[in-house]
Amino acid sequence: MAGLFAALEASALGPVLLVTKGQLHEGSTRHAQGGIAAAIGPDDSTEQHLKDTIAAGAGLVDEEMARILVESAPRRIRDLERYGVSFDSEGANRAFGREGAHRNARVLHARGDRTGAAITTALAEQVESGRITVKEHTLATEVLLESGSTVGVRALDQGAGAKCIFESDAVVLATGGAGAAFSHTTNPPVATGDGIALAFDAGAEVTDLEFYQFHPTAFRQPGAPPFLISEALRGEGAVLRNDGGEAFMPRYHELADLAPRDVVARAMVAEMRGAGADHVWLDCSALERVDPIERFPGIAAFCRERGVDLRRDPVPVAPAAHYLMGGVRTDSWARTTVPGLYACGETAATGVHGANRLASNSLLETVVFAKRAVEHIAEGAGGAMAPCPDSTPFAAGRAAPPDHAAVQRLLWEHAGIERSGEALQEGLDAIDGWPEGEPEPSREGHEGRWLGVFAELLLTAALRREESRGAHFRTDFPERDDSRWAQRQVFHRAD
């Protein structure tokens, strides 16, 4: 969504090239079910949206950036509608859903639980019918610099097996997150942290990498992929129950099943551990306002294929890696610390999510900061954001993991929902044992190296942060420590 929207907005400025390692429609956006948050309802306000965003972020939200996010929402929703996105309605009015940690119903959907697919389809159709040049199956392998400024990218044409260079006045990284670094994830296989590693290699700062959000409710059944079961179901009244049938969330938080995601995920882990089970149950039988099969057709179809009827059967669910709050450090214009290099979407760390993203703010963030990146490019002001004076030099290894599965097992076991200093150090020691060398000149080789860089950065950041905050929970430091850790960790390449 970030890349498509940025390309469309930039097409008025001159020639635009959109490079993607897969097909145009691939990415995490098309799997998004929950929707896009915007305080545009009659009983809502941007101030309340801002308060909810700050509260969910556990003390690390950049308030200035979050205000830009929520105040830009109405205009960006109109932009999406201009590009052909049709949001669901109730009669003559837009329909709004409520999700975890939102005090108001402010989440817009399109085609029910197929919001991401509807948005991706609309934007991709606009891209394909416009003046934008698209190169699919083309993997960016390096951000090219001249005198410290971005001048283009080096890439690998996977079809021809040829290396190529694309020159440009500006490069916008919109490569998504890194969920494929975990063995249990709601993300597609393409989410391998490419943009984070590319920017880091180019000298850009990265931040907040210890904060990985685990979505509480992913379908868990032997042989089935961890398919996302939208939080919107709980927003409509679905209830989490343990093996004993108890609705357990009121014991953990005043918002019960609509508590922040980190709270729900850890509560589920505790219940699963107590029962010796690998899942809990999501009971949708009590939904009164909506028919779950009509309101959530995609989820209903997936469950039905696996013998679960949403109207009467509880759904087996467990947490899975879902969203990276951190990434490439950016300012309010999506600039990185490298001149001419921008980042938006899940690749970027704008500071709006803090330590724990508020549900459905992610799709909003993509369009808000993609728009601002293009506005800055249009002004021709150039430059970069100021470097962080406390950024930590990091000597990223050239370790090459045996395969993607090795990284996935390592991060799930050593940097999952619950962490400890001992486990994190064991993870780093394991990486030290990987052989060093240049990646194989293939997509898989480059992705493997980028996953290795990401894993090393995440483990290091998580080991250094000796507290628990938001999505980062340390069993050996279970309390939040504002006296030492009410700050973001920033890293840059030591060389």
Side-chain angles (χ1 to χ4, degrees):
M1 184 173 177
L4 293 168
F5 191 85
L8 288 167
E9 291 292 306
S11 63
L13 308 181
V16 174
L17 173 66
L18 195 158
V19 175
T20 174
K21 70 178 179 183
Q23 293 181 314
L24 190 62
H25 292 71
E26 283 190 89
S28 293
T29 301
R30 70 187 181 97
H31 298 279
Q33 300 169 347
I36 181 168
I40 57 177
D43 301 319
D44 204 358
S45 70
T46 56
E47 284 301 317
Q48 186 58 58
H49 190 183
L50 178 65
K51 289 178 182 177
D52 291 348
T53 297
I54 292 172
L60 286 189
V61 169
D62 183 318
E63 185 170 342
E64 177 189 355
M65 300 287 274
R67 185 171 291 280
I68 290 171
L69 178 80
V70 301
E71 290 182 352
S72 301
R75 297 189 298 278
R76 301 295 78 83
I77 293 298
R78 290 196 294 271
D79 286 341
L80 288 171
E81 291 176 326
R82 174 167 54 86
Y83 284 131
V85 178
S86 179
F87 292 105
D88 296 343
S89 60
E90 291 178 345
N93 301 314
R94 290 190 179 100
F96 296 98
R98 186 181 171 203
E99 294 183 3
H102 287 273
R103 297 284 175 173
N104 296 72
R106 65 168 66 95
V107 180
L108 293 162
H109 298 88
R111 291 171 51 202
D113 61 355
R114 295 188 173 106
T115 302
I119 291 173
T120 300
T121 299
L123 296 183
E125 287 176 352
Q126 292 288 332
V127 165
E128 291 173 318
S129 65
R131 298 184 299 158
I132 298 163
T133 301
V134 177
K135 287 193 72 68
E136 295 181 313
H137 306 292
T138 303
L139 180 74
T141 59
E142 182 184 359
V143 175
L144 297 176
L145 305 175
E146 189 174 287
S147 301
S149 295
T150 306
V151 294
V153 296
R154 192 185 310 277
L156 175 66
D157 183 330
Q158 297 167 63
K163 295 180 180 178
C164 45
I165 287 177
F166 302 115
E167 297 178 350
S168 62
D169 297 320
V171 171
V172 180
L173 295 170
T175 59
F182 292 86
S183 56
H184 298 282
T185 180
T186 61
N187 290 186
V190 295
T192 51
D194 308 10
I196 296 164
L198 287 169
F200 182 74
D201 282 345
E205 293 177 350
V206 297
T207 187
D208 297 340
L209 296 180
E210 65 269 43
F211 297 118
Y212 216 107
Q213 186 176 80
F214 293 83
H215 198 290
T217 52
F219 191 87
R220 178 66 66 87
Q221 190 183 76
F227 182 81
L228 180 68
I229 304 296
S230 174
E231 195 164 298
L233 274 161
R234 283 177 282 136
E236 297 290 355
V239 175
L240 287 165
R241 299 186 184 277
N242 58 22
D243 257 12
E246 177 198 6
F248 58 85
M249 277 309 303
R251 288 195 276 110
Y252 292 90
H253 197 276
E254 61 177 1
L255 293 177
D257 294 272
L258 291 178
R261 288 176 175 176
D262 63 300
V263 175
V264 179
R266 287 196 297 274
M268 291 170 66
V269 168
E271 296 296 318
M272 288 153 54
R273 185 185 297 122
D278 67 351
H279 63 272
V280 295
W281 304 94
L282 184 66
D283 179 8
C284 306
S285 63
L287 270 62
E288 297 178 354
R289 292 196 322 123
V290 299
D291 181 332
I293 294 178
E294 292 181 2
R295 172 67 178 79
F296 305 98
I299 296 172
F302 178 90
C303 291
R304 184 167 55 248
E305 290 172 2
R306 287 152 185 85
V308 177
D309 185 330
L310 284 186
R311 288 176 176 147
R312 55 182 175 79
D313 300 325
V315 183
V317 293
H322 183 60
Y323 189 88
L324 175 63
M325 271 72 75
V328 186
R329 182 170 168 259
T330 59
D331 66 4
S332 62
W333 297 106
R335 296 185 301 177
T336 71
T337 50
V338 174
L341 183 63
Y342 299 77
C344 55
E346 195 173 349
T347 296
T350 61
V352 300
H353 304 309
N356 192 32
R357 175 176 67 88
L358 182 67
S360 290
N361 268 355
S362 55
L363 296 189
L364 176 62
E365 182 196 26
T366 65
V367 290
V368 167
F369 291 98
K371 175 73 171 181
R372 292 179 69 84
V374 174
E375 288 176 341
H376 190 270
I377 293 168
E379 291 174 0
M385 76 176 299
C388 173
D390 299 322
S391 180
T392 300
F394 187 82
R398 307 297 298 188
D403 51 40
H404 292 191
V407 181
Q408 294 167 341
R409 288 192 300 269
L410 185 146
L411 284 189
W412 186 258
E413 292 172 6
H414 299 284
I417 299 166
E418 295 183 343
R419 303 164 174 175
S420 70
E422 181 181 5
L424 293 165
Q425 186 60 60
E426 287 175 354
L428 286 169
D429 292 343
I431 290 178
D432 285 342
W434 292 345
E436 291 193 5
E438 292 298 319
E440 291 291 323
S442 65
R443 171 172 164 175
E444 185 174 39
H446 284 290
E447 287 181 334
R449 196 233 155 202
W450 294 334
L451 285 169
V453 170
F454 173 75
E456 193 172 0
L457 282 163
L458 186 155
L459 288 162
T460 300
L463 181 62
R464 284 165 52 101
R465 184 173 285 278
E466 295 180 332
E467 67 154 357
S468 291
R469 181 187 298 268
H472 171 70
F473 183 80
R474 289 277 297 264
T475 56
D476 46 351
F477 293 96
E479 302 300 322
R480 177 167 149 176
D481 184 358
D482 284 340
S483 64
R484 295 179 58 215
W485 288 106
Q487 57 184 313
R488 302 168 75 185
Q489 292 190 85
V490 181
F491 296 90
H492 66 272
R493 276 188 69 99
D495 58 356

